[in-house]
Structures are given as C-alpha cells and as structure tokens.
Amino acid sequence: MDNPMHRRNFLQRAAGVLAAAGMLPWVKAQTSSQTAEALPSFTGPGPNPYWNGVNPFVVYPQKLPLLRLTDRGIQLETPRQYFRTAFTPNEAFFVRYHLDLIPNSIDLSSWRLNVEGNVEKPLTLSMQDLLTRFKPVSVAAVNQCSGNSRSRFQPRVAGGQWGNGAMGNAIWTGVRLMDLLQEAGVKPGTVQLQFQGLDRGPGPEGKGSNAFIKSLDWNDPVLQECIVAYRMNGEPLPMLNGFPVRLVVPGKFSTYWMKHLTWIRALTKPDDNFWMATAYRIPDTPRGNTTPADIAAGKVKTVPIGNVNMPVRSFIVDPDGSSKLVAGLPVEIRGVAFSGYGRVTKVEVSLDGGKTWRVAQLGDYHGPYSFRTWSFQWKPTQPGRYTLAVRATDEKGNVQPDEPVWNPGGYLWNRIERQDVVVGTAS
Amino acid sequence: MKRYHWMLLVLLGVWVMAQDSSLPGLKETGNYTQGSLGQVLQPLPVTNAQPDGVYSVGAWPLYTPELADGPGKELVMGYCQVCHSTTYITMQPPLPAATWDAEVQKMIKTYGAQIPDDAAKQITAYLQAHYTPETRKQ
C-alpha cells in the first residue's frame, strides 16, 4: 500500500507531527482546524456577525472562563452555551462595572445597608437584620445590560462591544424593597429613590468617573416588585455580581440593579447625577430609534432608559453553526426568550431566513420576568445552506421586529436573531 | 532520547498502521498541531478562609492587550489608564477620527481627566493613527 498519494501524505504528517513538537519550527503549520484558529481581535466598521463578542476567555474569582470586554473596570460576557437552560449559572453570569474600584473584600461585621434621606426613621441594617427581620421573597428575573448586543449597531457606537451575552436569568431571593421603606417611613415630598453601592472610581468627586448612582421614580410601579437580593440561584451572590446584596428591578435593564447596594435614599429633588442626567438615556421615540443625522442636528429629546421595560427578545442557542448538520438527522433548534413587559406567549421559528414562520414549543413558565426556553424539532431533508430565525411575542402583543434599531448609546437592540447552518448529505 | 521523541515514534507508528488498515470514509485522522489559543488555568478554591465576617476574593486579574506601537503610545499609557485600563480603547470597533476626538474630549470634560492640551492632541492623533476604520490593524 505504498502509492505516491500516501507517501506525500505521510511526509506531510511527519512534518506536521515534528513541527507540532517544536522540532522543525520552519515547517509551516498545516491544516487550520476549528480550534487552531481564533476569532479576529475586533470587528467593524460593519456589525459583529458572531453571537458573542469576539473577546478572549479569561478567568476571574468565582467565575468560569468568560469573555473579557474590559479588565479594569471589569466587564465579562457570558458565552452562548450557558443559555441552554432557563437559569444562568452564577459562575457564568455576565459582569458589568463602570468604575474600577471594585470590592475585593467585604466585612459583614461592619457592612450596613442604609435607608436614609426623606424618611421618618433612617435604618442601618446588618446582613443579619436582613436575614431575620424581614420575610424572604423570590422572583425569577432576567438581568440584561442596556447595551446588550451593542456590537450589532450600524454605524457602530462607542461603548461595551457586547454580543448577545450581556444577560442572564436567576432566581433572586431577598427582602422586598417596600418592606424596608415601610419600616423607614418615606415622607411626603419624595420624588425619587436613589441607590448606591460600594464601588467607586478614581475620578473627581461629583463626576460620573467617581461614583455610579441610579434613581427610580417614587411613583414607578416597579418599586412594588423590587427586591434587595442576598441570594442568587440559591447561593450567596458572587462578588462580581454584587455581594452582599444587589437591587433587583424585574423587567428593567441592569443599570438600575445596583450591586453591593449600601445606600437607599429618598430624594425630594430629581437626581441629576451623570448616570441619570447624561448616560443611559434613550430617544423618546418608538423603540428608542433615531438616526445619526437627527442626533447631530440636536433634534432628539431623550428620557432615562428606566422609562421603558426591556423589549421582547429571543435567541437561538443551538444549533450554533460550529458544525455541519446531517440531512435526515433531526436536530433540536432551541434557545431562550423573554420580555420586560411580561410573559412570553409565543415563539416562532423560521427555516428560510424569516419568510415563513412555524410555532415552537415553549418550556416551563417561571414567571413573567424569567427566561422561557423554547424548542423546535427540525429534520432537514435537503442538503444545503439554511438561515434559521426566531421571533418571540409577549402577553402585551409585542412582536420582535426585523428592523434594526439605532441610537447613540447602543441601547434596546431586539431585532430578530438569525443563525446560518450548513446541512451536509448523508449519502 | 527524551520521552516525547519516543511518543512521536509511537504516533508515527500508529499513523502508518492507520494507513494500512481499511477504514472506509476516513478522510483525515491523527492530525495534531500546537494549540495556538493557549490554556486557562483553574483557580484554587478558598479553603483556608476564616469563618468570620470577612468575604474576600483576592486581587482582580488584569488582561490588558498591548496597544499599537507608534508616537503617542506612552502618553496614552500615562493619561488613559488613570480610571480604567487601555482595554477600553482596544475593545472599541474601529471608530471614525471625529469620534476619537470626541472620546478624548469626553474623558476630559465629562469625566474630569486631567490632560494638558498638547498631550490631548497627541493622544487623539495616536488613536486616529491606529484605531479608525482606515488605520486599524490589530
């Protein structure tokens, strides 16, 4: 069995093996397989075509390898594969800080949650107080960064270049915000509640680079559903997700979910700090959509992103395009869906890039603010290239649109998601 | 002979055998190459912690990529790492020259970065020379 074909192959192989062992460094590395080739180090000026951002895997305390956007302050994206289940593991849950003085160590013997400002009786509560003096409640809720999927924007905008992984779902357990406020007795004249945690930045006092502070309107109905959470999926919060407690604001973007929550203040004047007055603002238009030209012309009125809930979204997790499918072999197309406006009532799948739609099967219902898994059995019979697509509908009748959105902050992306797959022949 | 030399001989032997037997449909097998994507080490669990009220996780690791070489790089490394790492720069998509100018101005006016005018100009020129759609390489 010594034909020339084989011999050439043999020589190539031998060279390859030797080169792999570092013995023949001048032999060009041969085949590029999937694992030997890295994604590019950046995408643009076109949209990022990948599900996640293109950033490398890195390890952080209490975390599995996640995708590093920035290392100081810390921003980490959750890889796609962790969205196969309705609840995102704590160790894979995304991380988004704005400032770089992030607690490495917290002493619960001196840490206190302070409820202050325009209240009858300011409170200073220890973790022990939170655990014993108030009734624990739980909610399943999606925590999604306002800028999730920002790397899809055209033209691209500055900011965290997230793919789809700046989101996660957890069961949050803790104390009802309203129970704390009732004990403190919020006085008339209160217009907003302000939240601040232990993280800080080195910038000058009074600037956004010094402290990250957010406020919610006192008349916002979401306050009735807010939780000061000390448990996440049944465990203490990882430090990078806000240990010892964080605010949970079901249906709203993460920017209000204050980590390391330590101060709750009843305000008599609207909060005009940078993170309310300048950052995290969206055009006061349908979907928060506008154009670079209208922004440049100064025509666009903006409102805080807390004025809206998270728009309905759905994601294809499998198949992910990393391998070919086989004609005649059934495959489960699956993923998650959610809406800040309530229960996901329908998920539809398209096998032709969005021309025709079929209803997918919904997974268990974990409450209006949770991820809902969905699945669709598909048996591709013809080899070829297919573009899968998914769209969700919520109980208010909101359907995911196929038009992109644009605003200068890179917020509110919820366009229909697509996944290209290749089906090979079985014969 | 070192141990891996023996392993190579064994591998080659396995390969030769694979060529001689009949494995229908086998198009390629036993192909290895040096992993170019690196490896990630596992963290040690916090087993020696005291059962007191202190909850610590250790230092946050840095993973800051190298900036492009060129005039102004030192200024960027001096002035643009006060509040955050330069990963904030490399993470961005290629941005138009005017956007980089606006970013530097935003750091100064909005966030209070203290950068002399002349240095700010050189920093902007550096960013425009390496991080726009026309100029970005890495």
Side-chain angles (χ1 to χ4, degrees), chain A residues 382-405:
Chain A
Q382 293 303 315
R385 290 171 199 284
Y386 295 82
T387 299
L388 313 179
V390 63
R391 75 176 177 201
T393 305
D394 68 24
E395 62 178 309
K396 302 273 158 39
N398 300 305
V399 189
Q400 268 183 277
D402 204 11
E403 291 73 44
V405 65

Side-chain angles (χ1 to χ4, degrees), chain A residues 61-82:
Chain A
Q62 304 173 312
K63 293 286 172 183
L64 287 162
L66 302 179
L67 306 168
R68 185 274 284 132
L69 271 76
T70 58
D71 53 346
R72 178 169 66 84
I74 305 174
Q75 303 186 77
L76 309 171
E77 183 173 348
T78 303
R80 181 181 196 172
Q81 289 71 20
Y82 291 110

Side-chain angles (χ1 to χ4, degrees), chain A residues 6 10 13 17 20 31 35-36 59-60 68-69 71-72 75 102-106 108 159 161 207 209 274, chain B residues 8 15 28-29 31 34 36-37 40 53 55-58 60-61 63-64 81 84-85 87-88 92 109-111:
Chain A
H6 274 148
F10 175 86
R13 292 324 174 91
V17 168
T31 37
T35 46
V59 185
Y60 274 81
R68 185 274 284 132
L69 271 76
D71 53 346
R72 178 169 66 84
Q75 303 186 77
I102 299 170
N104 298 95
S105 183
I106 292 174
L108 289 187
Q161 298 302 307
K207 296 278 188 188
S209 52
F274 169 79
Chain B
L8 283 179
W15 179 85
E28 184 178 39
T29 184
N31 182 13
Q34 189 60 44
S36 57
L37 302 186
V40 178
Y55 295 78
S56 304
V57 295
W60 303 121
Y63 303 95
T64 313
Q81 302 207 83
H84 51 68
S85 65
T87 316
Y88 267 85
Q92 301 308 320
K109 298 202 179 108
T110 309
Y111 290 136

Side-chain angles (χ1 to χ4, degrees), chain A residues 77-314:
Chain A
E77 183 173 348
T78 303
R80 181 181 196 172
Q81 289 71 20
Y82 291 110
F83 298 104
R84 289 196 174 113
T85 51
F87 294 101
T88 317
N90 291 0
E91 45 276 75
F93 214 92
F94 85 103
V95 175
R96 196 275 188 257
Y97 280 89
H98 302 78
L99 307 177
D100 76 340
L101 300 173
I102 299 170
N104 298 95
S105 183
I106 292 174
D107 187 350
L108 289 187
S109 68
S110 49
W111 175 83
R112 295 291 182 272
L113 174 62
N114 301 283
V115 185
E116 55 188 39
N118 195 37
V119 296
E120 304 284 353
K121 188 181 104 186
L123 307 180
T124 308
L125 302 165
S126 67
M127 185 66 146
Q128 183 75 9
D129 294 333
L130 293 176
L131 295 177
T132 54
R133 287 188 28 210
F134 302 89
K135 182 170 155 261
V137 292
S138 292
V139 64
V142 173
N143 177 9
Q144 183 190 213
C145 177
S146 313
N148 196 22
S149 314
R150 180 179 286 121
S151 62
R152 311 268 180 262
F153 273 57
Q154 278 301 294
R156 297 286 287 262
V157 294
Q161 298 302 307
W162 304 103
N164 289 335
M167 60 173 186
N169 186 42
I171 297 182
W172 309 92
T173 305
V175 175
R176 237 188 268 279
L177 175 66
M178 278 307 177
D179 289 353
L180 300 178
L181 294 172
Q182 196 150 19
E183 180 153 323
V186 175
K187 292 202 284 195
T190 298
V191 295
Q192 283 188 330
L193 285 182
Q194 188 183 61
F195 304 93
Q196 188 171 3
L198 291 177
D199 44 326
R200 289 289 180 280
E205 190 135 357
K207 296 278 188 188
S209 52
N210 177 263
F212 178 70
I213 304 171
K214 295 297 290 190
S215 297
L216 286 166
D217 287 344
W218 176 236
N219 63 10
D220 191 327
V222 80
L223 295 182
Q224 307 299 325
E225 301 187 51
C226 286
I227 290 178
V228 173
Y230 43 65
R231 275 176 100 199
M232 175 174 172
N233 290 325
E235 294 167 13
L237 275 63
M239 191 64 94
L240 288 173
N241 295 110
F243 182 89
V245 299
R246 92 178 293 171
L247 187 67
V248 169
V249 192
K252 302 278 184 201
F253 283 104
S254 321
T255 181
Y256 292 95
W257 297 45
M258 191 60 66
K259 296 189 287 298
H260 317 290
L261 179 66
T262 302
W263 292 274
I264 301 172
R265 301 187 190 100
L267 303 183
T268 51
K269 278 190 305 207
D271 189 350
D272 62 356
N273 101 81
F274 169 79
W275 298 105
M276 288 302 297
T278 309
Y280 287 110
R281 296 185 70 91
I282 54 169
D284 193 10
T285 58
R287 294 183 72 206
N289 195 27
T290 184
T291 61
D294 280 0
I295 290 289
K299 285 202 240 180
V300 181
K301 178 182 174 256
T302 64
V303 294
I305 198 166
N307 284 25
V308 300
N309 289 1
M310 296 185 289
V312 61
R313 295 195 72 174
S314 58

Side-chain angles (χ1 to χ4, degrees), chain B residues 66-132:
Chain B
E66 192 55 37
L67 289 171
D69 281 328
K73 179 177 174 183
E74 273 66 39
L75 287 174
V76 173
M77 290 173 68
Y79 287 109
C80 305
Q81 302 207 83
V82 176
C83 302
H84 51 68
S85 65
T86 51
T87 316
Y88 267 85
I89 297 171
T90 52
M91 171 194 44
Q92 301 308 320
L95 296 172
T99 306
W100 280 119
D101 188 28
E103 282 294 322
V104 172
Q105 290 310 313
K106 176 179 172 186
M107 297 307 133
I108 295 169
K109 298 202 179 108
T110 309
Y111 290 136
Q114 301 198 348
I115 310 177
D117 278 357
D118 181 51
K121 278 202 191 77
Q122 292 182 57
I123 287 171
T124 305
Y126 167 86
L127 295 168
Q128 294 170 342
H130 302 283
Y131 294 99
T132 65

